[in-house]
Amino acid sequence: MELSDIDIILAVARSGKISQAAKELNYAQSNVTTRIKKLEQEYQVQLFNRFPKGVVLTSKGEQFVQYATRIRDLLNDLEQDMTDPGEPSGTLKIGIVETAASSRFMEILNEYQVTYPEVSISLVNATSPKVLRKKIQEYEIDGAFISGACVKEGLKVEYEMQDTVHIISKRMDVPPESLCQVSWVVFPKGCPYREITEEYLQEEGLSARNMIEVSTMDNLLSCVESGIAFTIMPCSVIHKKPDEFSVYDLAERFTHTTTTFVRGDDRYVSSALDRFVKLLNQKCITF
């Protein structure tokens, strides 16, 4: 087996199509097919089930991909370790949940960028901690801010802060007498704040039928500000226009949540990531 075979198997596994993987790797499709067959003959296993519209990993193929991913990650770490000049440079890819993109966070990024101008920062937004966790595991990002409880196996927590969530509505001089007819705006399944909303509604005996699902913070706040719906979020999300909204407390058991910055616990820490984590802890950022 050659090292390039690893990239071929991973590319085919990702796309599910040999033609697409060949295009991605700039190989001839016949070359990719031949290399896969050679590997299967070498290990005397079938790595993919072939179908007219693509390929799917077999159980042995899934095992192969697990090992191949670990080997590729180690090679990436080796390359970074050998080429890292010590002074932060290159690209720093940070995953961030929508609720964490506050002005305070942007101030930290600005200070980091001014201090380390050779680093190019790339932000990857998501509403689900699972999505960000997967991106860390697949080496797509260096670390991520994750809200709510998350499975920490395979992750190293570099920073943690406590936050509180509340019911948020458009500005009202008088609190609503009842929430029975209220619609609620939420992020897609997987968002911890959606889980809190659904749990709260169930406990209060309120209808969860009037759910409006959005994928961006701007759309969520537009729904709330216009009076279409209420939401349950940290107060930090309305920092730009606090006078446009009303905030109501939840029961104690729903109020507290956690935001953490995590990275892969077995991954090489570049100087760019190391300085970012140190700045984060130095400033004790709150969202």
Side-chain angles (χ1 to χ4, degrees):
M1 181 180 70
E2 300 177 15
L3 289 177
S4 57
D5 292 335
I6 290 176
D7 294 325
I8 288 175
I9 296 300
L10 292 178
V12 175
R14 278 195 308 271
S15 65
K17 294 180 181 294
I18 291 177
S19 58
Q20 187 172 330
K23 184 177 180 180
E24 176 187 329
L25 298 171
N26 198 28
Y27 287 166
Q29 182 172 335
S30 58
N31 187 19
V32 172
T33 301
T34 299
R35 298 279 285 276
I36 293 174
K37 288 182 177 179
K38 182 180 177 182
L39 274 177
E40 290 179 325
Q41 291 172 356
E42 180 178 345
Y43 291 106
Q44 297 185 346
V45 296
Q46 184 174 334
L47 298 175
F48 295 96
N49 287 316
R50 280 79 167 172
F51 300 97
K53 293 186 177 182
V55 297
V56 177
L57 287 167
T58 63
S59 59
K60 283 294 184 181
E62 291 176 351
Q63 284 182 301
F64 189 98
V65 165
Q66 289 177 1
Y67 281 105
T69 300
R70 287 161 58 186
I71 293 170
R72 172 46 61 196
D73 289 345
L74 285 171
L75 289 172
N76 287 336
D77 286 348
L78 174 63
E79 181 178 357
Q80 288 189 57
D81 201 3
M82 294 298 102
T83 59
D84 193 339
E87 187 64 22
S89 62
T91 301
L92 179 63
K93 297 180 181 179
I94 301 173
I96 185 168
V97 287
E98 286 276 342
T99 51
S102 67
S103 60
R104 181 71 178 120
F105 172 69
M106 293 306 168
E107 289 173 8
I108 294 291
L109 280 186
N110 181 60
E111 180 174 344
Y112 181 88
Q113 191 72 91
V114 170
T115 307
Y116 306 109
E118 297 302 315
V119 178
S120 176
I121 299 174
S122 175
L123 294 181
V124 179
N125 283 53
T127 58
S128 168
K130 290 183 179 178
V131 171
L132 293 175
R133 179 186 172 88
K134 183 177 180 183
K135 288 183 179 296
I136 291 174
Q137 292 173 329
E138 295 182 352
Y139 217 75
E140 294 180 23
I141 56 179
D142 297 297
F145 289 98
I146 295 180
S147 294
C150 68
V151 178
K152 295 185 174 65
E153 182 181 352
L155 300 177
K156 179 174 176 56
V157 177
E158 293 284 10
Y159 182 81
E160 183 171 293
M161 59 155 285
Q162 300 299 315
D163 203 351
T164 57
V165 296
H166 306 267
I167 296 175
I168 301 175
S169 73
K170 74 172 185 177
R171 170 60 65 182
M172 295 181 182
D173 295 327
V174 180
E177 294 183 2
S178 172
L179 295 176
C180 291
Q181 303 302 318
V182 169
S183 294
W184 299 85
V185 57
V186 295
F187 284 135
K189 289 284 188 182
C191 171
Y193 300 111
R194 176 172 181 153
E195 294 172 2
I196 291 174
T197 301
E198 292 174 342
E199 189 177 351
Y200 167 77
L201 295 179
Q202 182 178 6
E203 185 166 298
E204 294 296 316
L206 300 173
S207 172
R209 289 177 298 175
N210 300 326
M211 287 280 196
I212 301 172
E213 185 176 293
V214 297
S215 57
T216 69
M217 183 58 70
D218 285 342
N219 287 340
L220 183 143
L221 292 179
S222 293
C223 288
V224 177
E225 188 177 0
S226 65
I228 293 175
F230 285 28
T231 194
I232 293 179
M233 286 281 161
C235 286
S236 56
V237 303
I238 59 172
H239 69 277
K240 291 183 179 179
K241 298 191 291 184
D243 295 337
E244 301 297 322
F245 302 90
S246 290
V247 177
Y248 310 99
D249 291 336
L250 287 163
E252 180 74 13
R253 62 183 298 266
F254 295 110
T255 299
H256 301 286
T257 186
T258 301
T259 296
T260 54
F261 182 77
V262 298
R263 64 171 177 83
D265 64 0
D266 60 347
R267 296 293 170 80
Y268 169 72
V269 179
S270 67
S271 55
L273 178 59
D274 177 65
R275 300 297 202 289
F276 178 77
V277 169
K278 287 179 178 176
L279 182 62
L280 198 59
N281 283 278
Q282 176 188 342
K283 296 297 182 178
C284 298
I285 182 175
T286 58
F287 295 108

